[in-house]
Amino acid sequence: MPNTSPPTRRSLEVRELDLRLREWRDEDLPVMVELFDDPEMDRWTPLRSPFDLAAATAYLAKAQQARAENRGINLAITVQDDRPRGEVLLRGTGNPGEAEIAYGIGPQYRRQGLAKRAVELMTLHAFQDLSMTRILLRIEPANESSQAVAASAGFHLTNDALVIRERKEGPFKLLTWERTS
């Protein structure tokens, strides 16, 4: 009798630059709360504070659905001990060969070069394994830390029009940084 069950999806993991990017797991939910329930995450990312266990559970389910539907990947940023220190994600923009990366590092792990290395590693993965040709970072003009990460990871500010996105408190504008293969 033929096997009619859907194929098992392999867990995604990317290693290099002394990092391990891996998919989030259910046991990571309490750590997600520690990392994402932060005023800076609330200020610069779509993640809202308070970010509690219910928010983490919903966020993980949404990330798993996006991966299952091939719409994007959310990966925990880990090092040798495998404890998540932040997240890096990749989403298609709708343009062929183009994707956007976003990232966030938990407050206790900032200023350790994790964001730069995670962006570099996800960019390498997108170019080498996913055949992307243009990777974007979208950053608010006042977010000087993320602009420094973008520059140090080899991204360049474009002349693209400001991107307008919505949050519950209203629209916000983003600059576009790019790196091409």
Side-chain angles (χ1 to χ4, degrees), residues 2-16:
N3 182 358
T4 58
S5 62
T8 304
R9 182 180 52 83
R10 285 190 6 223
S11 181
L12 178 61
E13 180 179 300
V14 184
R15 287 179 185 253
E16 203 169 314

Side-chain angles (χ1 to χ4, degrees), residues 87-114:
E87 173 179 64
V88 62
L89 59 95
L90 181 74
R91 297 278 186 270
T93 64
N95 296 324
E98 184 179 88
E100 180 178 345
I101 290 176
Y103 54 90
I105 304 295
Q108 63 273 47
Y109 302 111
R110 293 182 185 140
R111 303 198 190 294
Q112 298 175 21
L114 293 170

Side-chain angles (χ1 to χ4, degrees), residues 67-139:
R67 170 95 159 99
E69 294 171 357
N70 205 28
R71 290 185 291 111
I73 51 177
N74 295 54
L75 299 178
I77 300 168
T78 71
V79 293
Q80 292 171 341
D81 65 3
D82 198 43
R83 180 178 174 78
R85 284 156 167 72
E87 173 179 64
V88 62
L89 59 95
L90 181 74
R91 297 278 186 270
T93 64
N95 296 324
E98 184 179 88
E100 180 178 345
I101 290 176
Y103 54 90
I105 304 295
Q108 63 273 47
Y109 302 111
R110 293 182 185 140
R111 303 198 190 294
Q112 298 175 21
L114 293 170
K116 174 187 181 269
R117 289 184 290 148
V119 168
E120 288 175 331
L121 187 50
M122 185 64 90
T123 300
L124 266 165
H125 172 66
F127 287 151
Q128 293 175 355
D129 302 326
L130 305 175
S131 301
M132 295 291 157
T133 56
R134 184 177 189 227
I135 304 300
L136 307 177
L137 300 175
R138 302 257 168 76
I139 302 170

Side-chain angles (χ1 to χ4, degrees), residues 159-177:
N159 291 323
D160 293 1
L162 290 174
V163 173
I164 309 294
R165 297 219 173 125
E166 293 291 327
R167 282 194 190 140
K168 64 181 176 185
E169 58 272 5
F172 62 104
K173 299 174 183 175
L174 300 169
L175 300 167
T176 299
W177 291 70

Side-chain angles (χ1 to χ4, degrees), residues 15-92:
R15 287 179 185 253
E16 203 169 314
L17 304 172
D18 294 324
L19 289 183
R20 176 179 177 228
L21 308 180
R22 64 157 173 85
E23 291 187 72
W24 291 101
R25 303 183 290 241
D26 289 341
E27 57 266 25
D28 295 325
L29 290 170
V31 178
M32 290 174 90
V33 173
E34 289 175 30
L35 297 172
F36 299 156
D37 189 31
D38 170 62
E40 290 299 301
M41 289 285 192
D42 183 71
R43 180 177 181 193
W44 302 120
T45 76
L47 300 173
R48 303 285 51 128
S49 186
F51 191 90
D52 57 15
L53 197 54
T57 302
Y59 185 77
L60 179 57
K62 187 176 175 183
Q64 290 169 334
Q65 182 175 1
R67 170 95 159 99
E69 294 171 357
N70 205 28
R71 290 185 291 111
I73 51 177
N74 295 54
L75 299 178
I77 300 168
T78 71
V79 293
Q80 292 171 341
D81 65 3
D82 198 43
R83 180 178 174 78
R85 284 156 167 72
E87 173 179 64
V88 62
L89 59 95
L90 181 74
R91 297 278 186 270

